[in-house]
Amino acid sequence: MKKWMQFLVLISSITSTSALLASGGIDGGGGNTMTSVTNAKWKAECSSCHMLYQPGLLPERSWNKMMSGLDKHFGENASLDAATRDEITHFLVTNSAEKSTNRRSNRINQSIPANATPLRISETRYFMSKHDEVSPSTFQRKSIGSAANCIACHKSAEKGDFSESQIRIPR
Ligand code: HEC
Ligand code: HEC
């Protein structure tokens, strides 16, 4: 192979590897990083008050219940027009925890009793077992606010990456 051709091959393999990493492709299946999915309406409407919660964090029945009660969403009115609501609901339920092959999504789902429909990830048994060493006063720090603010400690939370190397608890 000519030198310049080797260079081209090298460049294209680097680009495809980083594209795969950025999309969560390598670890998106059975691995630890949730398959990172996105939808423009979801991004626009569900990130104005808090971080974006990946669909793989809750089962379908939770998203359905949440999306049908947006006028009373944790004390806020987060209502949407019907078309936008339906599109976002479809996006959330298509990618929900029980449909994922990802290990973390599956564990979240398995930790929820069949007769329960939690609206909070932070109230699932999986969440509680993973955070039993974080004290309530830490969650209440000004820099954090509540357990719902995943991104305060998990820098890549919006991409579904909760790996230990991405955790930094602010003071
Ligand atoms: C008008 C503001 C507002 C909008 C818009 C909004 N939310 Fe929320 N949401 C809240 C508040 C307030 C909480 C409670 C946060 C807390 O406890 O710290 C919350 C909590 C949540 C939680 C629970 C987090 C946890 O595990 O404790 C989820 C999931 C959620 N919202 C999803 C959504 C989705 C999906 C949308 C878009 C359809 C959305 N939110 C739009 C205000 C909003
Ligand atoms: C106060 C900081 C803080 C907040 C807020 C927080 N976490 Fe965590 N999280 C941690 C710590 C610390 C661990 C434990 C890491 C360990 O076991 O070494 C952890 C562990 C995890 C793990 C398991 C990681 C692993 O490798 O086993 C997941 C998944 C996770 N958190 C998801 C969430 C989600 C989802 C939210 C928001 C609903 C959230 N966390 C909010 C600090 C936080």
Side-chain angles (χ1 to χ4, degrees):
M1 220 189 290
K2 290 217 170 75
K3 266 248 153 60
W4 65 269
M5 275 178 75
Q6 283 177 348
F7 182 72
L8 276 186
V9 169
L10 180 71
I11 288 295
S12 67
S13 69
I14 289 173
T15 334
S16 57
T17 308
S18 47
L20 203 58
L21 282 171
S23 68
I26 283 178
D27 208 12
N32 275 331
T33 304
M34 236 159 251
T35 315
S36 187
V37 288
T38 193
N39 168 280
K41 295 227 166 82
W42 166 71
K43 223 171 158 176
E45 303 295 345
C46 304
S47 68
S48 47
C49 303
H50 47 63
M51 62 163 268
L52 278 165
Y53 300 104
Q54 280 285 325
L57 289 167
L58 284 172
E60 173 169 359
R61 62 185 185 282
S62 295
W63 292 126
N64 274 327
K65 185 174 175 189
M66 183 178 299
M67 295 303 288
S68 58
L70 284 179
D71 55 329
K72 294 189 186 75
H73 180 78
F74 301 93
E76 302 275 343
N77 185 348
S79 297
L80 297 167
D81 65 80
T84 308
R85 184 201 57 209
D86 291 349
E87 181 178 331
I88 295 174
T89 306
H90 179 74
F91 165 72
L92 292 169
V93 306
T94 310
N95 298 289
S96 62
E98 71 272 55
K99 303 212 183 86
S100 176
T101 53
N102 172 258
R103 219 182 300 153
R104 285 213 171 102
S105 291
N106 291 342
R107 294 220 180 111
I108 293 171
N109 187 46
Q110 284 157 11
S111 83
I112 302 171
N115 61 356
T117 307
L119 296 183
R120 283 187 183 275
I121 302 131
S122 54
E123 280 173 359
T124 60
R125 229 181 302 159
Y126 174 85
F127 180 94
M128 294 194 261
S129 73
K130 288 294 183 185
H131 297 85
D132 58 354
E133 283 171 21
V134 182
S135 73
S137 67
T138 302
F139 284 126
Q140 284 157 16
R141 280 180 196 166
K142 258 208 180 82
S143 53
I144 301 170
S146 81
N149 193 15
C150 325
I151 202 165
C153 305
H154 297 275
K155 297 303 156 200
S156 306
E158 289 184 322
K159 294 193 203 103
D161 181 358
F162 295 93
S163 53
E164 279 179 48
S165 61
Q166 299 294 315
I167 301 176
R168 223 197 86 243
I169 302 180
R171 302 221 149 257

